[in-house]
Each structure stands twice: as structure tokens, then as C-alpha cells.
């Protein structure tokens, strides 16, 4: 999505246990083989019985570029795209023909502020909401500890770093030419870059604890999902901090994707286009629609997530959740993360890694 829908709280989503064990495998090193085929059918049953963390959903801040009006909305629990990811995972992880047992009960606070979502998710799966500030390390540590304690096998399979914010960008804003500029507020950077970096570190810590740091047949698939935006690869005027933070998600992915195989893991990016959700006023989206923009859907974002998680071979790619006019299933691999056919950049990439080759090990 372009920069105005964002979340900052945390959601722990825990699936029903499954009698189906995932087959052991050895994760392959990263090799570019072209874009992922997003048109083919896929089987999401492999996510059943897994424990996942999805961040985001507490506070939404939005700057209407069209009305020059800053608005703030508060929601507790999953909302917007975070809710879509949780709902998709719940649907894929639920037990056919029955309901899974709940893990405890949500507090009165959660029930009061997010009644319909809480009822629906707690009625069909093991789901728990954990309050967390994405920019605080200790909060994220507590989040992961909660996930492990609630997991039947003490393992975390998937982490979706969905939390982020957007606010008026003080790097772009300028005072009157006769006035001296003030130090800009960099909260967007603090939350949107520091937060996912904390999440990435903690995810890797638990994945390595579970799988070790040497590829072996007994490792189980794990995956980190980073959330970009149209601003992660398109010009997005008047929002340098937000654009920097979303390009950063691709940078984190590029830095990790060649070594995650050591601990049986993967990393990918999902970049949503405009998505109409309940967390913003309808009139805001109506204005965008009236100028001719076609929206992507939250449901397609959830299916994009399942497409990635269900296929252990998908590593190091970025997916664009888009309007159906551009992709029949609402998401596509634009194949932006490599340079096939460009001999110069291929050679430069190889020399970039010569002094510290991937083959030297995870930690050198």
C-alpha cells in the first residue's frame, strides 16, 4: 500500500495442532531461477499445526495528502492487512470439521475494543493478542517468549513483521524560508526500520535455536516475511522517511536471503498496493477511487502470504499485492530483486561477496 495505512501493536497467532508432520528436508542455498508463478494453484495445508507471529494492529496514523489533514485512529487487536494475514492463517490452520481449543481467554480490554475480530478468531483457532510496541526491544522479546510458551512443540514457524507507522514527514516539511529548520522527528524510521530489525534478529535467534546453524535433514521450514509497500520500489512523493523505511525492507531481505538456508529458513517481502480496509474512513478511499485508482484486496494479501509460506522453495523474492487488473489472483512476483541478463551487475554481485563468501558459513 502507498504510505498511509500502518500498525504498531503486536498480535500473536497460534494455530491448532496437527497430526500431519512436515517432511524433513534440507533447505537449498539461494539461487535466482526467475519469478515465482503466482497463477498456479497451491496447497496451504503445510501451514497447519504451525505457530506464527504477526505484528501490527494497535495504532493507525494517517496523513491525508489530498485534504492536508492529519488523522489518527486507534484500534486494538488485528486490523487492516494485519487482520487479513491473521484470518488467512487461521483459515489454513483450522481443523476441518471441528474447532481447536483456545489458548486462554482474551482480556476484557481486547474484547471491548475488538469484539467481532476477537470472537471470530478465538472461536476458530488458538489465537492470542499480545500488546507490544514495535520500537521497544524488551516488548518484542516478551512477544517471542509468549509465542514459544503457547506453542505445543515450543517452536515458531513463521514471523510476519507487519507493524509500522506513517505520520507527517518532517524531513520533507520546511518552515518559512526566513526561519531556521528544526530537528526533524524520525519516529517513522524508529518504528519502521528499527522495529523490523528487532523482529528479524529475534526470528533468526529462535529459528537457529530450533534448527541449528548447519543444514541437516532434520530441519523444519521457517520463514520471515517483511512488509514493503508500493513505496518500496515506486516513486512516492513527499514521504522520504516512509520510502526509505520500505526500501529498507528489501535491503534487509537481500542481506539475509543467501544465509538463511544454514538454519532451514527463508525471507521474503510482501508489498501491498492500495487496500480498502476498515481502519480508515470510507471517504478517504472514495477520493482515491474517484481519481481512477483500482484497489487491491486484503483477502488477496492473505492468499499471497499463504502462497509464500506453503512453498519452502520460495526464498529471496518480493511480491506485489495489486489490483486484479494487473494480476488475476491479486498478487505477482515482479522479479525486481535480481538482474538476469545483466552481465555487468552479475559480475559485480559476485565480487561483492568474494571477501566473505556465503560458503564460508553463517557466522565468520
Amino acid at each position: 500500500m502507498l504510505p498511509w495505512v500502518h500498525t504498531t501493536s503486536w498480535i500473536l497467532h497460534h494455530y491448532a495442532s496437527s497430526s500431519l508432520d512436515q517432511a524433513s528436508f534440507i533447505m537449498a542455498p539461494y539461487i535466482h531461477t526467475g519469478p515465482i508463478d503466482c497463477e498456479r494453484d497451491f496447497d496451504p495445508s503445510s501451514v497447519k499445526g504451525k505457530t506464527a507471529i504477526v505484528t501490527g494492529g494497535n495504532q493507525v496514523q494517517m496523513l491525508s495528502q489530498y485534504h492536508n489533514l492529519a488523522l489518527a485512529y486507534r484500534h486494538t487487536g488485528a486490523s487492516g492487512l494485519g487482520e487479513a494475514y491473521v484470518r488467512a492463517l487461521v483459515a489454513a490452520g483450522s481443523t476441518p470439521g471441528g474447532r481447536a481449543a483456545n489458548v486462554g481467554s482474551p482480556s476484557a480490554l481486547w474484547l471491548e475494543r475488538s469484539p467481532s475480530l476477537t470472537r471470530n478468531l478465538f472461536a476458530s483457532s488458538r489465537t492470542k493478542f499480545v500488546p507490544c510496541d514495535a520500537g521497544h526491544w524488551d516488548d518484542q522479546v516478551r512477544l517471542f517468549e509468549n509465542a514459544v510458551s503457547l506453542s505445543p512443540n515450543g517452536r515458531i514457524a513463521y514471523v510476519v513483521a507487519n507493524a509500522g507507522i506513517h505520520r507527517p514527514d518532517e524531513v520533507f516539511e520546511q518552515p518559512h524560508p526566513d526561519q531556521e529548520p528544526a530537528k526533524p522527528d524520525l519516529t517513522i524510521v524508529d518504528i519502521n526500520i528499527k522495529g523490523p530489525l528487532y523482529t528479524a534478529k529475534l526470528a533468526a535467534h529462535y529459528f537457529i535455536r530450533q534448527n541449528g546453524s548447519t543444514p541437516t535433514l532434520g530441519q523444519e521450514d521457517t520463514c520471515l516475511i517483511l512488509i514493503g509497500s508500493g513505496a518500496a520500489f515506486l516513486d512516492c512523493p513527499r514521504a522520504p522517511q516512509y520510502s526509505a523505511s520500505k526500501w529498507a525492507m528489501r535491503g534487509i531481505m537481500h542481506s539475509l536471503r543467501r544465509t538463511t538456508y544454514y538454519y532451514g529458513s527463508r525471507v521474503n517481502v510482501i508489498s501491498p498496493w492500495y487496500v480498502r480496509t476498515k481502519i480508515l474512513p470510507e471517504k478517504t478511499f472514495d477520493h482515491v477511487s474517484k481519481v481512477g485508482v483500482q484497489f487491491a484486496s486484503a483477502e488477496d494479501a492473505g492468499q499471497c502470504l499463504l502462497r509464500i509460506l506453503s512453498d519452502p522453495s520460495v526464498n529471496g523474492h518480493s511480491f506485489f499485492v495489486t489490483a486484479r487488473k494487473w494480476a488475476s489472483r491479486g498478487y505477482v512476483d515482479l522479479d525486481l530483486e535480481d538482474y538476469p541478463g545483466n552481465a555487468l551487475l552479475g559480475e559485480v554481485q559476485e565480487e561483492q561477496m568474494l571477501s566473505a563468501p556465503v560458503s564460508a558459513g553463517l557466522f565468520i
Side-chain angles (χ1 to χ4, degrees):
M1 177 175 289
L2 290 181
W4 55 18
V5 177
H6 321 275
T7 52
T8 56
S9 74
W10 300 84
I11 302 166
L12 170 65
H13 179 211
H14 177 225
Y15 301 106
S17 59
S18 170
S19 60
L20 299 176
D21 294 328
Q22 178 175 317
S24 297
F25 73 106
I26 296 179
M27 188 71 72
Y30 176 78
I31 299 175
H32 179 251
T33 57
I36 301 301
D37 181 4
C38 295
E39 296 300 315
R40 71 173 179 83
D41 293 335
F42 65 93
D43 180 4
S45 63
S46 61
V47 308
K48 185 178 179 180
K50 304 298 179 61
T51 297
I53 293 173
V54 179
T55 71
N58 185 50
Q59 182 174 350
V60 178
Q61 291 186 315
M62 180 273 286
L63 173 65
S64 172
Q65 298 179 15
Y66 301 102
H67 301 100
N68 195 30
L69 177 66
L71 303 174
Y73 299 87
R74 291 193 63 83
H75 295 266
T76 303
S79 58
L81 289 170
E83 176 181 341
Y85 298 136
V86 172
R87 288 189 181 279
L89 290 165
V90 168
S94 60
T95 303
R99 291 181 176 180
N102 293 334
V103 177
S105 299
S107 67
L109 179 65
W110 298 120
L111 285 170
E112 178 183 352
R113 295 190 179 181
S114 187
S116 61
L117 177 63
T118 302
R119 280 197 305 270
N120 292 340
L121 295 184
F122 272 83
S124 62
S125 68
R126 296 174 181 264
T127 305
K128 184 175 179 63
F129 297 95
V130 178
C132 177
D133 185 330
H136 289 178
W137 169 255
D138 290 343
D139 277 15
Q140 292 214 36
V141 168
R142 179 171 53 85
L143 174 71
F144 277 78
E145 290 173 346
N146 268 268
V148 170
S149 69
L150 292 167
S151 173
N153 60 6
R155 302 173 75 93
I156 300 169
Y158 311 124
V159 176
V160 183
N162 178 64
I165 65 167
H166 186 272
R167 63 186 304 279
D169 196 322
E170 294 186 10
V171 171
F172 179 80
E173 293 178 342
Q174 294 293 333
H176 188 277
D178 293 336
Q179 297 176 326
E180 291 298 317
K183 179 181 178 180
D185 186 316
L186 299 182
T187 303
I188 297 172
V189 171
D190 290 339
I191 300 298
N192 292 14
I193 298 181
K194 285 173 60 178
L197 284 171
Y198 288 161
T199 307
K201 181 175 180 65
L202 286 164
H205 170 74
Y206 281 94
F207 294 163
I208 292 170
R209 174 184 287 182
Q210 295 163 189
N211 280 337
S213 57
T214 302
T216 61
L217 190 61
Q219 291 177 331
E220 294 183 10
D221 178 41
T222 58
C223 187
L224 169 66
I225 301 291
L226 300 164
I227 303 301
S229 161
F233 56 90
L234 300 171
D235 287 2
C236 187
R238 308 177 189 88
Q241 284 190 70
Y242 186 82
S243 294
S245 73
K246 293 307 175 182
W247 279 82
M249 297 306 99
R250 294 174 63 197
I252 295 170
M253 185 267 285
H254 274 269
S255 184
L256 296 178
R257 67 178 179 174
R258 292 179 186 266
T259 55
T260 53
Y261 82 96
Y262 277 105
Y263 48 96
S265 194
R266 309 177 278 132
V267 57
N268 294 279
V269 174
I270 296 176
S271 291
W273 178 242
Y274 290 96
V275 178
R276 189 184 290 267
T277 67
K278 298 177 182 178
I279 60 177
L280 291 178
E282 284 295 315
K283 64 180 181 181
T284 302
F285 288 113
D286 289 344
H287 179 83
V288 176
S289 180
K290 286 177 182 177
V291 300
V293 175
Q294 292 187 24
F295 293 88
S297 77
E299 292 76 15
D300 287 344
Q303 290 302 302
C304 179
L305 174 64
L306 293 180
R307 173 67 179 89
I308 297 169
L309 298 184
S310 65
D311 186 347
S313 70
V314 178
N315 177 43
H317 291 256
S318 64
F319 295 79
F320 183 37
V321 177
T322 180
R324 286 289 182 107
K325 69 175 182 178
W326 291 322
S328 64
R329 296 207 177 196
Y331 57 92
V332 63
D333 180 353
L334 294 176
D335 201 20
L336 296 175
E337 309 305 335
D338 291 273
Y339 308 98
N342 190 319
L344 173 60
L345 285 177
E347 181 179 345
V348 171
Q349 174 65 81
E350 290 303 314
E351 292 206 13
Q352 173 69 36
M353 300 184 293
L354 277 179
S355 62
V358 173
S359 60
L362 177 58
F363 303 110
I364 58 174

